[in-house]
Amino acid sequence: MPSLYAYRSQWFGNVRGDILAGLVVALALIPEAIAFSIIAGVDPRVGLYASFSIAVVTAFAGGRPGMISAATAATAVLMVTLVRDHGLEYLLAATVLAGMLQMGAGYLRLGSLMRFVSRSVMTGFVNALAILIFMAQLPELIGVPALTYVMVAAGLAIIYLFPRITTAIPSPLICILVLTAVSIGFGFDLRTVGDMGELPSTLPVFLLPDVPFTLETLLIILPYSAAIAAVGLLESLMTAAIVDELTDTPSDKNRECIGQGVANFFTGFIGGMAGCAMIGQSMINVKSGGRGRLSTFVAGVFLLFLIVVLGEWVKQIPMAALVAVMIMVSIGTFSWSSIKQLRTHPRSSSIVMLATVICVVATHNLAIGVLVGVLLSGIFFAWKIAQLLRVTSSLSEDGTHRTYVVEGQVFFASADQFSAAFDFKEALEQVTIDVSRAHIWDISSVAALDMIVLKFRREGADVEIVGLNAASETIVDRLAVHDKPGAMDSVLGH
C-alpha cells in the first residue's frame, strides 16, 4: 500500500489535467459501453452501469493510477453463451464470482507473473490493440454519407493541430464539442450516439442476482467466471504495464488484481456486466493529460451524469467525432518503430511480436495472442540457453581416467545434448564428471545424469560426480537413482 502522502498525490497531484482527461474519456466510453452490451446480448444500460461502477471503484481500489477500467469487448465476448442460455441474472452472478476469483488472484500475488511477459509480447500486444481499435471503427466508415468522412477528417485536423495553439484543453475534447456543435447547428443527417441504443434515465440500484443459490448454479457460472477473471486480469495487467511505461511511473500489479476483483464484485450487484482495463480509453486518458486516480473517478462519475442528466444532448454527439478520437488513439498506440526494428532485432523477438499480433487480430482474443507470445518466448529462450551447454574432457597420462567438465545449464532442452557428449565405449577405469560450472535444473537433467553414470558403470568404469552446487545437489539427492539398489535394472531396462 502507498503511503498517505503518495496516495493523496495520486488523487490531487494533477487535478486540472485529470478532470479534463476524465471528461474526454467519459464521452468516449458511452458508444463503446453500448456496443459491448450489444455484443454480450444485454440491454445497453448493463454496459453503461458497469462502466460507471468499474471506473469509480478501480479509482479507489486499483493499483495503476490513471488507467481506465470499464465494460470491454474482451470480457463481453465470453458472456454471449451464458446470456443466451441462462439470461441476464446468471450473468450478474457470474460477474460477482469473477470478481471474487480476481480478488483471490491478487491475494495470491499472481500479478507478479507479469515479469514473465517479454518486451516482444508487449509490443505485439500494443500493435494488435491498435489494429483492433482501428478495425472497430470501420463499421462507422463503410457505407456512410460522404459528409461522415469530411467530419472525421475535420476531427483529426482539430486533434492534431489544436495543440499547436494551446495544450490547456485536451484536443480530443475540443474535437467532440466542435463537431457536435457543427452537426447540430447545420442539422447534418449523421449517425449519432443515440443511434447506438437507448440511454438509461435512472440511477442504478442495488439488487441481488435472482438465481438459485445451489451447486448447480455454481457449476453453470464457474467456467464463465473463471474465463472472465483470467482474460480480465491479463488485459488489465498488460494495460497497466503499458501505462507504466507511458507515464514512467510504477504500479502495484497485485493490488490491481484485487481492485479489478472488487470492481466486478460490486458491479454485479447494480446490474452491470464484468469488465477490465481498456487500453484504448487508457491511452485517451494519458494522451489527454490524465495521470492520477481522479481522472478515472471523473470518467466514471461524469459518464453517469452524461447518460442520466444530459442524455438528450449526449445522444446528438456525431459518431464521426468519436471515430476521429479512436483513430487518433489507434495511430498513437501502434509502435511504429517496431516495423523498422524487424530488420535489426533478433529474429526470435520479431517472430514473437508478429505471432502475438497475428493471433490477437485473427481471434480478436487478447488472451490467446498473449499466451501464444509468452509460449514462443519461453521456447526461444529455452532453445537459446540450451545452446550454451558445453562438455569438454581430458584423459590421464595412463589412459585409464577421463575427466569431463560440464559448463552451462542442464535441463529438459539440453539433456539430450548433455548425454551425447560422453563416450561410453572408451575403455576406462575411472570417470570424473565435474559439474562445478554447470547447474542441474529438473527431472530431465537428473534422469540424463543417472543414465550417464549407469552406462559408464555397465562398461566397468568407476564414476565420480564432483562440484555440485547446493541447489543441484539437493535435486540430485532427491531424484537421482544411480546410487540406489537395483538402479541398473530399473533405468537401463527401459
Side-chain angles (χ1 to χ4, degrees), residues 267-492:
T267 295
F269 290 114
I270 65 165
M273 57 195 275
C276 62
M278 305 178 75
I279 179 66
Q281 309 300 335
S282 297
M283 291 292 291
I284 291 176
N285 191 45
V286 171
K287 291 183 178 297
S288 299
R291 292 293 183 273
R293 296 178 182 275
L294 184 61
S295 62
T296 309
F297 178 79
V298 168
V301 172
F302 192 60
L303 168 64
L304 187 64
F305 178 79
L306 285 172
I307 59 179
V308 174
V309 180
L310 302 181
E312 292 303 317
W313 288 97
V314 171
K315 289 178 181 179
Q316 301 181 64
I317 296 176
M319 287 301 298
L322 299 176
V323 168
V325 173
M326 297 310 293
I327 290 177
M328 176 271 292
V329 170
S330 175
I331 294 171
T333 300
F334 195 90
S335 176
W336 299 99
S337 62
S338 64
I339 297 177
K340 296 180 180 179
Q341 292 165 350
L342 287 174
R343 300 177 60 184
T344 58
H345 279 187
R347 184 175 299 176
S348 59
S349 297
S350 298
I351 291 173
V352 169
M353 190 273 286
L354 291 173
T356 303
V357 172
I358 292 170
C359 288
V360 172
V361 173
T363 64
H364 285 228
N365 190 319
L366 298 168
I368 291 177
V370 172
L371 289 176
V372 168
V374 170
L375 180 61
L376 283 176
S377 295
I379 292 172
F380 285 131
F381 176 76
W383 180 83
K384 186 178 296 184
I385 295 300
Q387 305 311 305
L388 300 178
L389 180 72
R390 187 172 69 150
V391 180
T392 58
S393 68
S394 59
L395 186 64
S396 63
E397 293 183 0
D398 60 5
T400 62
H401 180 197
R402 182 173 290 277
T403 299
Y404 288 91
V405 179
V406 185
E407 301 175 75
Q409 311 303 312
V410 188
F411 63 113
F412 64 89
S414 60
D416 288 344
Q417 180 186 351
F418 174 54
S419 299
F422 296 86
D423 182 5
F424 302 107
K425 297 302 181 182
E426 187 178 16
L428 298 170
E429 295 181 6
Q430 186 174 0
V431 173
T432 300
I433 303 175
D434 182 358
V435 291
S436 57
R437 286 179 259 181
H439 192 102
I440 308 295
W441 281 103
D442 57 10
I443 190 171
S444 297
S445 54
V446 173
L449 184 62
D450 275 336
M451 190 68 72
I452 292 166
V453 172
L454 293 174
K455 282 185 176 181
F456 273 124
R457 287 178 180 171
R458 185 180 60 182
E459 300 299 326
D462 182 26
V463 183
E464 181 185 17
I465 302 172
V466 300
L468 284 169
N469 59 39
S472 298
E473 185 174 9
T474 298
I475 192 171
V476 169
D477 287 345
R478 187 171 77 249
L479 300 177
V481 298
H482 58 259
D483 285 333
K484 295 180 180 178
M488 189 75 72
D489 295 332
S490 64
V491 174
L492 296 181

Side-chain angles (χ1 to χ4, degrees), residues 3-250:
S3 65
L4 180 60
Y5 174 80
Y7 190 69
R8 185 187 305 159
S9 177
Q10 290 174 358
W11 273 97
F12 305 113
N14 180 40
V15 173
R16 184 174 176 280
D18 284 345
I19 291 176
L20 290 174
L23 299 181
V24 177
V25 171
L27 291 167
L29 275 174
I30 295 174
E32 297 215 350
I34 296 173
F36 301 151
S37 299
I38 294 171
I39 290 174
V42 295
D43 189 273
R45 73 183 64 197
V46 177
L48 290 165
Y49 286 158
S51 294
F52 151 71
S53 173
I54 295 171
V56 170
V57 174
T58 54
F60 290 95
R64 172 62 262 179
M67 187 169 74
I68 304 298
S69 297
T72 64
T75 54
V77 295
L78 301 173
M79 307 170 186
V80 177
T81 305
L82 178 62
V83 173
R84 184 189 64 211
D85 295 344
H86 300 282
L88 173 62
E89 296 299 327
Y90 278 81
L91 171 59
L92 301 182
T95 297
V96 173
L97 180 57
M100 296 171 66
L101 294 175
Q102 290 177 324
M103 285 188 279
Y107 285 116
L108 291 174
R109 307 190 68 78
L110 297 185
S112 303
L113 295 176
M114 274 302 296
R115 66 179 183 271
F116 295 108
V117 179
S118 69
R119 174 77 179 191
S120 300
V121 176
M122 289 289 295
T123 302
F125 174 81
V126 168
N127 288 347
L129 279 171
I131 294 171
L132 289 181
I133 291 170
F134 181 79
M135 289 174 63
Q137 311 314 309
L138 294 181
E140 302 295 334
L141 296 172
I142 297 176
V144 295
L147 182 59
T148 300
Y149 302 112
V150 176
M151 292 287 278
V152 171
L156 289 171
I158 293 172
I159 289 171
Y160 287 109
L161 297 178
F162 187 77
R164 298 187 179 185
I165 301 173
T166 178
T167 57
I169 303 175
S171 60
L173 180 58
I174 297 299
C175 165
I176 294 171
L177 294 176
V178 169
L179 293 193
T180 301
V182 170
S183 178
I184 295 174
F186 288 92
F188 291 155
D189 184 18
L190 296 172
R191 183 171 165 83
T192 65
V193 169
D195 296 326
M196 295 286 292
E198 188 65 30
L199 299 182
S201 57
T202 60
L203 295 174
V205 295
F206 182 86
L207 52 86
L208 290 174
D210 185 17
V211 298
F213 288 89
T214 63
L215 178 60
E216 181 183 1
T217 299
L218 177 62
L219 294 177
I220 290 173
I221 66 174
L222 182 58
Y224 297 98
S225 296
I228 290 169
V231 171
L233 286 184
L234 182 59
E235 184 164 354
S236 297
L237 295 177
M238 294 288 286
T239 303
I242 293 169
V243 177
D244 288 351
E245 186 171 324
L246 287 173
T247 60
D248 196 25
T249 56

